Amino acid sequence: MNAFDYPVSGVAVIIACCLLLFQRWWRKPHPKFPPGPRGIPLFGMLPFMGTFPARTLKQWAQEKYGPVMSVRLGSEDVVILTNWEVLNQALVKNSARFAGRPYIAIFNAITGDKGVLFRDYSEDWKSQKHFGLRVLREWGLGKKRMEDIVNIEGNYFLEFIRSTIGKPMDLKKYLFNVTGNIISQITWGARYEYDDVIYNGLLDELKLLFGDTEYGRKLFWVYYAPELRYLPGFKRAYNHFLERQYSSVEFMRERIAEHQTNFNRNDIRDFMDAFIFEQRHGTEINKKSFTDEQLVMYGKDMFLAGTETSSSTLAWAFLYLLHYPECLDPIEKEIETAFGINGVPSFSRLDETPYIMAYIQEIMRAKTLVTITLQHKTTDDGYLNEHFIPKNTTVIPCLWGAHMDPEIWPNPEQFDPYRHIDSNGKFVTSDKIVPFSMGQRFCPGEGLAKVEIYMFLIKILQKFKFRAPNKNIPTLDGIHTTMNVPTELNVVFEERY
C-alpha cells in the first residue's frame, strides 16, 4: 500500500465532511420556504445589514426577494415581512399562528419565560396579557384619569424647564425621566425627582439596550445570533447588559416587597396592587400563575415598553421641528386657538388640532421607533403568499418597511404631515401606520403613548420656544439597534411669553 494513501484518504474524508456540513447549512427548511440570502457561516447576513438593518431588509425585498423573504441571521433562517399587506395577513388574519415568541437568549437569561413581552404564546400568556389590558382600562387608559397623571407630570417638567432657561439642556435624557415617571406611577405608584441617582440608574439600563453607541451594535448581533455572546467583544457587551438587568430586577423586587407589606385589598392603588389582589384573592388557577417572579418581569416589561416608546417619539418630534421649522407655525396656531396660553391640553379635543395629530402620525411613520419588531414564532405549519413557513419558524415584522411602501405612501422618504389631512382640513387616522405593531403581540401601552406624546408636545410648546445651541442641529440619522432613537437632542429653551 502506498504511504500516501492514508493521508489522502484522511483529506478526502475531511473534505467530504465539510461539503456535507456546508450542504446542511445551505439547505432551506422546506422547498417552498421563502427565498432570501444566506451569508456566511456563524454570522449569516448580519455583517451585510449595514448601520440601518431595516432599510437593508426593505431593499433586499424590493430588489430581489419580495415582501415575504428569508434571511439567515446567525445560524438560523428567519422570515422577514416587509410591507403592510403581509403584516396584516400574518399578524392579524392569522394572529394565533404568528403569535409565538422564540427563545431569545439575551432576554430569557433574565426573564426565565416570565412577564409578557418576551414570553412564548400560551393560554397562560393570554391570561396575563388580558389581565394587564383590563387593569390599564380600569385606570382609564386614554381617558381623563390618565390625562390627569400626564398633566401633573407635565407641570413638574415645565417647572424644570424654567430652571434651565437660556442654558443647553439634554432634552432626550429628561424625556426619559418624564415618561418613566408616568409608567412608574401606573405600575408601582411612585414618581422620582429628575436627579434621583437610583432611578436614573434604572433609566440608564434602557439607554444601554436601545441607544448605547459602545455596546448597542454588539447587543443587536447577539440578539439575532446568540452564539456570539461567547466571543470576545460580544461577551463583554452581553455580560455588561446582564449586570445592568440584574440590578433592575432587584429594584422591582424591592417595590414588590413594599407592596406586599402595605397591601390593602380595599385600596388598589396601582398595577402591582391589582396583581397582588389576584395573587391572594383570585381563583386557584390565577394563584398558580400570579407569582412574585411573574410580577417582577411584568413590571420590567411595562417599564421598558412604557418609557422608551413615548420618550423617543417625543424626542424625534422636537428634533424634526428643528429640521422642519415650517411645521412649527401651524402647530403653534392650533395650540393658541384650541387651548390659549393657560388652557389644559386634552386628548378629547383632537378634532381641534388636526395638524398636530397629522404631525405626530407622520413622525411615527417617518421615524418608526421599532423598525423591526421583537421576533415572533409560528405556532403551526402554514402558507403565506404561497410560501410554506413551518412551525417554530422565527418571523420578524419590519414595520419600517411597511411605513416606507411607495404604493401606500408616495415619496415615502419625504416628511409631509399634510399627507394625513383630507381636503376638508380634517385629520385622517391611518391603519397602515402601525408603530405599536399589530395582532396579538401589539403593544398594550399604545393608548397611553399617544396621550403622552400629544399632551407633552402641546404643553411644552404652549409655554416655551426652543432652539439648538449655537445652531448645531443634531442629525436625523439616529442610532439603529433594536430601536431607532435620536443620537442626541440638546436644546435651549426660552419663555414664550
Side-chain angles (χ1 to χ4, degrees):
M1 180 178 291
N2 191 298
F4 293 100
D5 285 347
Y6 289 111
V8 170
S9 300
V11 170
V13 170
I14 292 172
I15 292 174
C17 289
C18 289
L19 289 174
L20 178 62
L21 289 172
F22 182 80
Q23 190 271 339
R24 287 174 61 85
W25 174 81
W26 189 259
R27 186 175 58 198
K28 294 277 187 178
H30 189 274
K32 291 188 177 182
F33 197 69
R38 318 305 301 286
I40 59 177
L42 184 62
F43 295 97
M45 291 300 294
L46 284 170
F48 310 101
M49 293 178 70
T51 57
F52 193 172
R55 186 187 299 275
T56 303
L57 292 172
K58 181 68 172 178
Q59 183 178 352
W60 291 343
Q62 288 180 323
E63 294 180 355
K64 188 171 183 179
Y65 300 109
V68 182
M69 67 176 182
S70 65
V71 174
R72 174 65 62 85
L73 297 180
S75 58
E76 183 182 10
D77 287 301
V78 305
V79 172
I80 312 290
L81 311 178
T82 62
N83 70 18
W84 184 86
E85 183 180 346
V86 297
L87 286 172
N88 187 57
Q89 185 69 28
L91 305 185
V92 178
K93 295 182 179 179
N94 293 279
S95 61
R97 185 156 64 87
F98 286 86
R101 187 78 83 202
Y103 181 88
I104 306 173
I106 193 170
F107 293 119
N108 285 94
I110 302 294
T111 65
D113 200 33
K114 295 290 191 297
V116 290
L117 194 56
F118 305 105
R119 193 173 184 179
D120 197 7
Y121 183 76
S122 65
E123 289 301 316
D124 189 54
W125 174 86
K126 288 194 292 184
S127 173
Q128 291 287 332
K129 179 78 177 282
H130 291 156
F131 165 78
L133 289 171
R134 175 174 63 81
V135 173
L136 290 174
R137 280 195 299 268
E138 290 173 357
W139 265 77
L141 187 60
K143 299 177 183 177
K144 189 176 186 306
R145 189 175 186 185
M146 193 63 67
E147 286 190 2
D148 289 342
I149 296 174
V150 174
N151 263 317
I152 291 170
E153 185 61 37
N155 291 336
Y156 280 114
F157 192 51
L158 295 184
E159 288 305 310
F160 177 77
I161 291 175
R162 288 190 179 95
S163 71
T164 73
I165 291 296
K167 297 178 290 187
M169 188 254 278
D170 185 350
L171 183 57
K172 176 185 171 183
K173 173 184 183 296
Y174 288 107
L175 286 173
F176 261 85
N177 290 81
V178 171
T179 57
N181 265 339
I182 291 172
I183 197 63
S184 297
Q185 291 177 73
I186 294 168
T187 307
W188 62 86
R191 75 168 299 277
Y192 303 85
E193 296 300 325
Y194 299 148
D195 60 355
D196 187 287
V197 175
I198 296 176
Y199 191 65
N200 278 319
L202 191 66
L203 294 172
D204 285 343
E205 291 161 19
L206 296 184
K207 297 168 191 173
L208 172 67
L209 179 60
F210 297 126
D212 183 84
T213 53
E214 180 181 1
Y215 293 125
R217 179 58 50 184
K218 292 175 182 177
L219 290 175
F220 177 82
W221 281 37
V222 170
Y223 174 69
Y224 289 108
E227 56 269 26
L228 296 178
R229 69 189 187 274
Y230 301 112
L231 299 182
F234 295 100
K235 183 178 181 179
R236 181 181 178 186
Y238 177 71
N239 288 339
H240 183 65
F241 170 76
L242 291 185
E243 289 172 6
R244 302 299 295 271
Q245 289 298 302
Y246 289 138
S247 66
S248 70
V249 168
E250 287 307 310
F251 182 92
M252 288 297 167
R253 286 184 176 141
E254 290 171 3
R255 305 290 79 73
I256 293 168
E258 293 169 358
H259 278 66
Q260 295 278 16
T261 300
N262 301 316
F263 177 75
N264 180 353
R265 64 175 297 174
N266 298 314
D267 182 22
I268 304 301
R269 302 160 296 176
D270 48 45
F271 181 86
M272 284 189 178
D273 272 352
F275 190 98
I276 294 170
F277 181 91
E278 292 296 324
Q279 201 177 42
R280 297 184 181 184
H281 306 290
T283 64
E284 288 303 314
I285 294 176
N286 276 358
K287 289 179 181 179
K288 293 178 182 179
S289 175
F290 283 68
T291 65
D292 285 352
E293 281 305 299
Q294 170 64 11
L295 180 52
V296 168
M297 297 309 163
Y298 214 148
K300 273 181 58 64
D301 287 350
M302 290 184 64
F303 185 71
L304 184 155
T307 300
E308 174 62 38
T309 51
S310 302
S311 62
S312 289
T313 303
L314 272 167
W316 281 123
F318 281 97
L319 183 53
Y320 263 77
L321 287 176
L322 293 175
H323 282 265
Y324 295 87
E326 66 274 14
C327 296
L328 190 56
D329 185 57
I331 289 176
E332 290 176 338
K333 286 181 178 177
E334 286 190 349
I335 292 174
E336 183 177 352
T337 300
F339 304 108
I341 299 174
N342 297 313
V344 179
S346 173
F347 208 62
S348 63
R349 298 175 65 180
L350 302 183
D351 291 344
E352 300 175 53
T353 56
Y355 185 85
I356 293 174
M357 291 300 297
Y359 178 79
I360 293 171
Q361 185 162 272
E362 182 68 350
I363 289 288
M364 291 181 171
R365 185 198 69 83
K367 282 298 179 185
T368 309
L369 201 62
V370 186
T371 54
I372 45 181
T373 73
L374 284 174
Q375 302 170 15
H376 290 229
K377 183 183 71 176
T378 51
T379 59
D380 204 352
D381 294 343
Y383 283 84
L384 184 63
N385 273 26
E386 300 181 353
H387 299 296
F388 181 77
I389 303 177
K391 181 180 180 179
N392 293 326
T393 298
T394 296
V395 178
I396 301 176
C398 180
L399 303 185
W400 186 87
H403 293 167
M404 290 292 155
D405 188 343
E407 295 185 7
I408 297 176
W409 309 108
N411 301 315
E413 297 280 356
Q414 179 180 338
F415 184 78
D416 180 16
Y418 285 103
R419 67 170 86 233
H420 309 294
I421 295 178
D422 66 16
S423 58
N424 296 317
K426 296 188 178 300
F427 168 64
V428 179
T429 302
S430 175
D431 63 357
K432 304 294 192 301
I433 298 178
V434 287
F436 301 93
S437 196
M438 310 161 67
Q440 296 203 39
R441 288 285 182 177
F442 85 99
C443 176
E446 177 178 357
L448 171 61
K450 289 181 176 179
V451 170
E452 289 178 308
I453 294 162
Y454 177 81
M455 293 178 64
F456 279 128
L457 184 65
I458 291 174
K459 287 182 77 70
I460 294 171
L461 294 179
Q462 188 180 31
K463 299 294 185 181
F464 303 102
K465 297 180 289 185
F466 72 104
R467 57 180 171 81
N470 303 317
K471 299 182 180 179
N472 184 23
I473 301 177
T475 176
L476 287 173
D477 290 340
I479 302 171
H480 308 289
T481 54
T482 50
M483 303 282 272
N484 177 20
V485 299
T487 53
E488 60 176 326
L489 183 54
N490 291 314
V491 300
V492 175
F493 281 104
E494 302 289 349
E495 295 276 7
R496 182 169 295 281
Y497 302 104

